PDB file of all heavy atoms in Angstrom:
ATOM      1  N   SER A 975     -15.628 -10.117 -25.299  1.00 79.00           N
ATOM      2  CA  SER A 975     -14.219  -9.875 -24.978  1.00 79.00           C
ATOM      3  C   SER A 975     -13.358 -10.710 -25.937  1.00 79.00           C
ATOM      4  O   SER A 975     -13.884 -11.500 -26.716  1.00 79.00           O
ATOM      5  CB  SER A 975     -13.925 -10.226 -23.512  1.00 79.00           C
ATOM      6  OG  SER A 975     -14.177 -11.610 -23.273  1.00 79.00           O
ATOM      7  N   LYS A 976     -12.069 -10.515 -25.856  1.00 74.00           N
ATOM      8  CA  LYS A 976     -11.163 -11.215 -26.781  1.00 74.00           C
ATOM      9  C   LYS A 976     -10.330 -12.230 -26.045  1.00 74.00           C
ATOM     10  O   LYS A 976      -9.783 -11.937 -24.998  1.00 74.00           O
ATOM     11  CB  LYS A 976     -10.262 -10.170 -27.506  1.00 74.00           C
ATOM     12  CG  LYS A 976      -9.375 -10.782 -28.566  1.00 74.00           C
ATOM     13  CD  LYS A 976      -8.600  -9.718 -29.275  1.00 74.00           C
ATOM     14  CE  LYS A 976      -7.726 -10.279 -30.394  1.00 74.00           C
ATOM     15  NZ  LYS A 976      -6.676 -11.181 -29.867  1.00 74.00           N
ATOM     16  N   GLY A 977     -10.195 -13.397 -26.644  1.00 77.00           N
ATOM     17  CA  GLY A 977      -9.323 -14.427 -26.110  1.00 77.00           C
ATOM     18  C   GLY A 977      -7.927 -14.288 -26.741  1.00 77.00           C
ATOM     19  O   GLY A 977      -7.515 -13.259 -27.181  1.00 77.00           O
ATOM     20  N   ARG A 978      -7.272 -15.446 -26.839  1.00 78.00           N
ATOM     21  CA  ARG A 978      -5.919 -15.429 -27.393  1.00 78.00           C
ATOM     22  C   ARG A 978      -5.896 -15.177 -28.878  1.00 78.00           C
ATOM     23  O   ARG A 978      -4.986 -14.564 -29.424  1.00 78.00           O
ATOM     24  CB  ARG A 978      -5.229 -16.764 -27.065  1.00 78.00           C
ATOM     25  CG  ARG A 978      -3.800 -16.846 -27.508  1.00 78.00           C
ATOM     26  CD  ARG A 978      -3.192 -18.160 -27.050  1.00 78.00           C
ATOM     27  NE  ARG A 978      -1.796 -18.255 -27.467  1.00 78.00           N
ATOM     28  CZ  ARG A 978      -1.033 -19.312 -27.226  1.00 78.00           C
ATOM     29  NH1 ARG A 978      -1.490 -20.328 -26.559  1.00 78.00           N
ATOM     30  NH2 ARG A 978       0.198 -19.337 -27.649  1.00 78.00           N
ATOM     31  N   THR A 979      -6.893 -15.659 -29.572  1.00 74.00           N
ATOM     32  CA  THR A 979      -6.978 -15.547 -31.032  1.00 74.00           C
ATOM     33  C   THR A 979      -8.278 -14.870 -31.395  1.00 74.00           C
ATOM     34  O   THR A 979      -9.102 -14.513 -30.563  1.00 74.00           O
ATOM     35  CB  THR A 979      -6.884 -16.924 -31.696  1.00 74.00           C
ATOM     36  OG1 THR A 979      -7.900 -17.767 -31.112  1.00 74.00           O
ATOM     37  CG2 THR A 979      -5.519 -17.546 -31.451  1.00 74.00           C
ATOM     38  N   TYR A 980      -8.466 -14.656 -32.693  1.00 75.00           N
ATOM     39  CA  TYR A 980      -9.717 -14.072 -33.183  1.00 75.00           C
ATOM     40  C   TYR A 980     -10.888 -14.906 -32.689  1.00 75.00           C
ATOM     41  O   TYR A 980     -10.902 -16.129 -32.800  1.00 75.00           O
ATOM     42  CB  TYR A 980      -9.732 -13.989 -34.708  1.00 75.00           C
ATOM     43  CG  TYR A 980      -8.688 -13.107 -35.280  1.00 75.00           C
ATOM     44  CD1 TYR A 980      -7.573 -13.612 -35.952  1.00 75.00           C
ATOM     45  CD2 TYR A 980      -8.809 -11.708 -35.156  1.00 75.00           C
ATOM     46  CE1 TYR A 980      -6.616 -12.787 -36.490  1.00 75.00           C
ATOM     47  CE2 TYR A 980      -7.834 -10.866 -35.692  1.00 75.00           C
ATOM     48  CZ  TYR A 980      -6.752 -11.398 -36.338  1.00 75.00           C
ATOM     49  OH  TYR A 980      -5.797 -10.587 -36.874  1.00 75.00           O
ATOM     50  N   GLY A 981     -11.914 -14.256 -32.207  1.00 85.00           N
ATOM     51  CA  GLY A 981     -13.025 -14.986 -31.656  1.00 85.00           C
ATOM     52  C   GLY A 981     -13.996 -15.497 -32.694  1.00 85.00           C
ATOM     53  O   GLY A 981     -14.465 -16.641 -32.651  1.00 85.00           O
ATOM     54  N   LEU A 982     -14.311 -14.635 -33.682  1.00 89.00           N
ATOM     55  CA  LEU A 982     -15.287 -14.989 -34.709  1.00 89.00           C
ATOM     56  C   LEU A 982     -14.563 -15.011 -36.041  1.00 89.00           C
ATOM     57  O   LEU A 982     -14.096 -13.970 -36.509  1.00 89.00           O
ATOM     58  CB  LEU A 982     -16.422 -13.994 -34.710  1.00 89.00           C
ATOM     59  CG  LEU A 982     -17.092 -13.748 -33.364  1.00 89.00           C
ATOM     60  CD1 LEU A 982     -18.173 -12.656 -33.482  1.00 89.00           C
ATOM     61  CD2 LEU A 982     -17.678 -15.005 -32.776  1.00 89.00           C
ATOM     62  N   THR A 983     -14.471 -16.153 -36.671  1.00 90.00           N
ATOM     63  CA  THR A 983     -13.735 -16.320 -37.914  1.00 90.00           C
ATOM     64  C   THR A 983     -14.666 -16.740 -39.046  1.00 90.00           C
ATOM     65  O   THR A 983     -15.372 -17.720 -38.918  1.00 90.00           O
ATOM     66  CB  THR A 983     -12.587 -17.352 -37.761  1.00 90.00           C
ATOM     67  OG1 THR A 983     -11.681 -16.922 -36.760  1.00 90.00           O
ATOM     68  CG2 THR A 983     -11.837 -17.507 -39.059  1.00 90.00           C
ATOM     69  N   PHE A 984     -14.645 -15.940 -40.115  1.00 93.00           N
ATOM     70  CA  PHE A 984     -15.430 -16.299 -41.295  1.00 93.00           C
ATOM     71  C   PHE A 984     -14.506 -17.060 -42.249  1.00 93.00           C
ATOM     72  O   PHE A 984     -13.520 -16.492 -42.766  1.00 93.00           O
ATOM     73  CB  PHE A 984     -16.013 -15.014 -41.937  1.00 93.00           C
ATOM     74  CG  PHE A 984     -16.949 -14.303 -41.001  1.00 93.00           C
ATOM     75  CD1 PHE A 984     -16.473 -13.339 -40.114  1.00 93.00           C
ATOM     76  CD2 PHE A 984     -18.287 -14.623 -41.016  1.00 93.00           C
ATOM     77  CE1 PHE A 984     -17.348 -12.698 -39.258  1.00 93.00           C
ATOM     78  CE2 PHE A 984     -19.185 -13.978 -40.132  1.00 93.00           C
ATOM     79  CZ  PHE A 984     -18.692 -13.023 -39.241  1.00 93.00           C
ATOM     80  N   VAL A 985     -14.747 -18.332 -42.415  1.00 95.00           N
ATOM     81  CA  VAL A 985     -13.838 -19.271 -43.050  1.00 95.00           C
ATOM     82  C   VAL A 985     -13.590 -18.899 -44.520  1.00 95.00           C
ATOM     83  O   VAL A 985     -14.434 -18.376 -45.232  1.00 95.00           O
ATOM     84  CB  VAL A 985     -14.408 -20.715 -42.975  1.00 95.00           C
ATOM     85  CG1 VAL A 985     -13.545 -21.718 -43.715  1.00 95.00           C
ATOM     86  CG2 VAL A 985     -14.586 -21.081 -41.529  1.00 95.00           C
ATOM     87  N   ASP A 986     -12.372 -19.195 -44.945  1.00 94.00           N
ATOM     88  CA  ASP A 986     -11.969 -18.930 -46.347  1.00 94.00           C
ATOM     89  C   ASP A 986     -12.976 -19.512 -47.324  1.00 94.00           C
ATOM     90  O   ASP A 986     -13.503 -20.608 -47.128  1.00 94.00           O
ATOM     91  CB  ASP A 986     -10.595 -19.578 -46.634  1.00 94.00           C
ATOM     92  CG  ASP A 986      -9.467 -18.949 -45.857  1.00 94.00           C
ATOM     93  OD1 ASP A 986      -9.702 -17.958 -45.151  1.00 94.00           O
ATOM     94  OD2 ASP A 986      -8.321 -19.466 -45.955  1.00 94.00           O
ATOM     95  N   ASP A 987     -13.216 -18.787 -48.409  1.00 95.00           N
ATOM     96  CA  ASP A 987     -14.035 -19.271 -49.520  1.00 95.00           C
ATOM     97  C   ASP A 987     -15.511 -19.576 -49.152  1.00 95.00           C
ATOM     98  O   ASP A 987     -16.122 -20.478 -49.718  1.00 95.00           O
ATOM     99  CB  ASP A 987     -13.398 -20.521 -50.181  1.00 95.00           C
ATOM    100  CG  ASP A 987     -12.027 -20.214 -50.712  1.00 95.00           C
ATOM    101  OD1 ASP A 987     -11.894 -19.328 -51.554  1.00 95.00           O
ATOM    102  OD2 ASP A 987     -11.072 -20.883 -50.258  1.00 95.00           O
ATOM    103  N   THR A 988     -16.027 -18.884 -48.147  1.00 97.00           N
ATOM    104  CA  THR A 988     -17.412 -19.113 -47.764  1.00 97.00           C
ATOM    105  C   THR A 988     -18.218 -17.804 -47.854  1.00 97.00           C
ATOM    106  O   THR A 988     -17.656 -16.731 -47.831  1.00 97.00           O
ATOM    107  CB  THR A 988     -17.536 -19.646 -46.315  1.00 97.00           C
ATOM    108  OG1 THR A 988     -17.034 -18.651 -45.392  1.00 97.00           O
ATOM    109  CG2 THR A 988     -16.769 -20.935 -46.156  1.00 97.00           C
ATOM    110  N   VAL A 989     -19.540 -17.950 -47.989  1.00 97.00           N
ATOM    111  CA  VAL A 989     -20.469 -16.836 -47.918  1.00 97.00           C
ATOM    112  C   VAL A 989     -21.335 -17.015 -46.699  1.00 97.00           C
ATOM    113  O   VAL A 989     -21.964 -18.058 -46.480  1.00 97.00           O
ATOM    114  CB  VAL A 989     -21.350 -16.761 -49.181  1.00 97.00           C
ATOM    115  CG1 VAL A 989     -22.381 -15.640 -49.047  1.00 97.00           C
ATOM    116  CG2 VAL A 989     -20.492 -16.575 -50.422  1.00 97.00           C
ATOM    117  N   ASN A 990     -21.329 -16.027 -45.819  1.00 97.00           N
ATOM    118  CA  ASN A 990     -22.092 -16.061 -44.586  1.00 97.00           C
ATOM    119  C   ASN A 990     -23.032 -14.871 -44.508  1.00 97.00           C
ATOM    120  O   ASN A 990     -22.640 -13.765 -44.835  1.00 97.00           O
ATOM    121  CB  ASN A 990     -21.151 -16.083 -43.368  1.00 97.00           C
ATOM    122  CG  ASN A 990     -20.252 -17.279 -43.360  1.00 97.00           C
ATOM    123  OD1 ASN A 990     -20.633 -18.345 -42.902  1.00 97.00           O
ATOM    124  ND2 ASN A 990     -19.029 -17.124 -43.860  1.00 97.00           N
TER     125      ASN A 990
END
Side-chain angles (χ1 to χ4, degrees):
S975 61
K976 185 176 182 295
R978 183 176 180 181
T979 54
Y980 296 109
L982 309 177
T983 299
F984 298 89
V985 176
D986 294 354
D987 301 302
T988 63
V989 176
N990 298 277

